[in-house]
Amino acid sequence: SQQGEEDPQALSIQEGENATMNCSYKTSINNLQWYRQNSGRGLVHLILIRSNEREKHSGRLRVTLDTSKKSSSLLITASRAADTASYFCATGVNDMRFGAGTRLTVKP
Amino acid sequence: DSGVTQTPKHLITATGQRVTLRCSPRSGDLSVYWYQQSLDQGLQFLIQYYNGEERAKGNILERFSAQQFPDLHSELNLSSLELGDSALYFCASSVGTNEKLFFGSGTQLSVL
């Protein structure tokens, strides 16, 4: 079964807008990770946030974590057409499990 | 380039056959993970190895088996293949467990 579940399943925005994706998970975590996948390619790690952190930034990415609600969000600011991809959250200890992903389309 | 090598990139076979997918992790990584991704689906966790030992098992069918060798490369064996086994199979590696994963480019398996 999946550990994380992303929401929404699909998101379409205009270039320059911000994109927000959410992830909910079920069990206690040590950390939560976000990954990006361009169509049919291998996943690429974006950011890792530990359970004792509430917010983390990396370039145009901002991740928040609310362990009381078992949820996380990924914000991409000033989106670009090149950000078009699927985004996944992942949690786990020995078993890193991924959600079904959010498919983001950024229109030029 | 993630440093994780998967071979072959593409595999076409028939139902009932057996195939072996191979993964070489990044230099220094001890953990290897296997995932299955069907068309437009998320990643299904199959199995994880750490330094040669199985550490976690997910939704892996009994027809599937895997192992990690002393040189840390891993193989995923799929037998008695069915049409529904057609998918993209990814291998990922990390230094330890619960850490950043580096993914290979995947093996596209087509069962005809």
Side-chain angles (χ1 to χ4, degrees), chain B residues 41-95:
Chain B
Q41 298 294 311
L43 272 74
Q44 292 291 329
F45 169 72
L46 296 178
I47 198 163
Q48 186 237 351
Y49 285 87
Y50 177 80
N51 202 21
E53 293 188 2
E54 181 186 306
R55 281 292 181 91
K57 206 172 225 184
N59 304 320
I60 187 165
L61 300 172
E62 285 190 11
R63 300 184 286 109
F64 296 0
S65 65
Q67 60 184 123
Q68 186 180 28
F69 295 87
D71 67 353
L72 300 177
H73 92 270
S74 179
E75 293 181 355
L76 178 66
N77 300 296
L78 313 177
S79 61
S80 303
L81 285 168
E82 301 175 358
L83 296 177
D85 297 328
S86 295
L88 196 48
Y89 290 84
F90 286 109
C91 162
S93 73
S94 64
V95 173

Side-chain angles (χ1 to χ4, degrees), chain A residues 20-105:
Chain A
T20 299
M21 288 158 269
N22 303 297
C23 168
S24 59
Y25 57 91
K26 298 174 184 175
T27 62
S28 298
I29 60 171
N30 293 328
N31 64 57
L32 184 142
Q33 302 180 37
W34 285 92
Y35 290 79
R36 164 194 168 125
Q37 182 182 34
N38 286 74
S39 183
R41 314 268 309 255
L43 278 72
V44 175
H45 182 268
L46 295 176
I47 198 164
L48 180 154
I49 186 166
R50 302 197 183 280
S51 59
N52 61 353
E53 297 176 308
R54 291 296 167 259
E55 187 171 313
K56 200 162 184 179
H57 296 254
S58 177
R60 292 185 296 112
L61 305 180
R62 172 179 169 253
V63 169
T64 61
L65 179 65
D66 187 336
T67 53
S68 67
K69 295 181 179 178
K70 291 187 167 57
S71 67
S72 173
S73 67
L74 170 66
L75 169 67
I76 303 175
T77 60
S79 63
R80 306 166 181 168
D83 294 328
T84 294
S86 291
Y87 292 82
F88 297 88
C89 66
T91 63
V93 179
N94 290 316
D95 55 337
M96 287 298 295
R97 294 181 186 250
F98 289 74
T102 292
R103 188 186 298 271
L104 173 66
T105 302

